[in-house]
């Protein structure tokens, strides 16, 4: 099958029901997307399919054909995405395991709602963090929303 990941087309040999997570990690070597629960609950495996947050551990690879898939590696090559910068400023990660999925869920949220309310953030970020960094995640998303090119306030 042919898949487009982070803007690059790839020919891969994968079973249709193989989870997209394994295709991305094992076949393409993009290991930033993590395996957490395997049942699409925790969100560690979140990536984007056509800009929407997708839990890749339960998303069949066959459904990725014809979609633009973005992994954490494709969010930005140099950590320049406003969310990545905000994550650093707010010191969001503790252990860091869930953070790639959190960042991808947050990026999908900001694409849909450029200036989300705290309630919208809480509703959209359903990813689990065993370290409990949720308040820092919210602050980072709020900070990043002010940094997006369409949201910069002019004086």
């Amino acid at each position: 099958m042919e898949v487009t990941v982070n803007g690059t087309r790839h020919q891969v040999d994968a079973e249709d029901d193989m989870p997209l997570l394994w295709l991305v990690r094992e076949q393409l070597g993009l290991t930033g997307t993590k395996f957490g629960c395997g049942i699409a609950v925790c969100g560690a495996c979140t990536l984007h399919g056509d800009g929407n947050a997708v839990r890749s551990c339960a998303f069949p690879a066959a459904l990725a054909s014809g979609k633009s898939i973005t992994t954490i590696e494709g969010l930005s090559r140099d950590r320049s995405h406003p969310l990545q910068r905000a994550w650093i400023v707010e010191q969001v990660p503790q252990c860091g395991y869930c953070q790639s999925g959190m960042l991808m869920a947050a990026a999908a949220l900001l694409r849909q709602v450029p200036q989300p309310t705290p309630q919208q953030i809480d509703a959209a970020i359903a990813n689990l963090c065993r370290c409990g960094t949720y308040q820092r995640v919210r602050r980072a998303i709020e900070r990043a929303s002010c940094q997006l090119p369409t949201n910069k306030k002019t004086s």
Side-chain angles (χ1 to χ4, degrees):
M1 77 178 63
E2 185 176 283
V3 294
T4 301
V5 179
N6 299 333
T8 303
R9 284 187 166 170
H10 301 273
Q11 283 294 129
V12 294
D13 184 23
E15 297 293 324
D16 288 349
D17 62 347
M18 170 190 270
L20 180 58
L21 172 65
W22 299 130
L23 186 148
V24 167
R25 287 182 60 83
E26 302 298 325
Q27 301 234 357
L28 302 181
L30 300 170
T31 58
T33 305
K34 303 299 184 202
F35 174 79
C37 66
I39 57 173
V41 172
C42 75
C45 67
T46 303
L47 45 71
H48 294 172
D50 288 340
N52 298 309
V54 172
R55 303 281 172 102
S56 64
C57 71
F59 191 86
L63 295 179
S65 182
K67 293 190 181 331
S68 176
I69 304 299
T70 305
T71 67
I72 188 69
E73 292 90 349
L75 194 57
S76 79
R77 303 258 185 250
D78 59 359
R79 296 184 187 157
S80 64
H81 190 282
L83 276 167
Q84 292 169 310
R85 291 194 318 261
W87 240 245
I88 292 166
V89 170
E90 295 295 339
Q91 299 179 354
V92 173
Q94 274 187 269
C95 81
Y97 196 83
C98 67
Q99 295 306 305
S100 63
M102 285 276 198
L103 278 160
M104 296 306 285
L109 167 64
L110 291 180
R111 185 173 295 112
Q112 295 169 3
V113 184
Q115 291 189 309
T117 65
Q119 295 80 16
Q120 289 171 313
I121 293 170
D122 292 345
I125 307 302
N127 299 44
L128 299 178
C129 174
R130 295 185 91 184
C131 300
T133 64
Y134 301 110
Q135 295 301 320
R136 287 183 273 173
V137 167
R138 184 189 298 150
R139 284 195 311 266
I141 293 169
E142 290 169 345
R143 176 183 293 274
S145 75
C146 295
Q147 303 298 316
L148 295 174
T150 58
N151 292 340
K152 287 186 179 175
K153 295 179 174 72
T154 57
S155 7

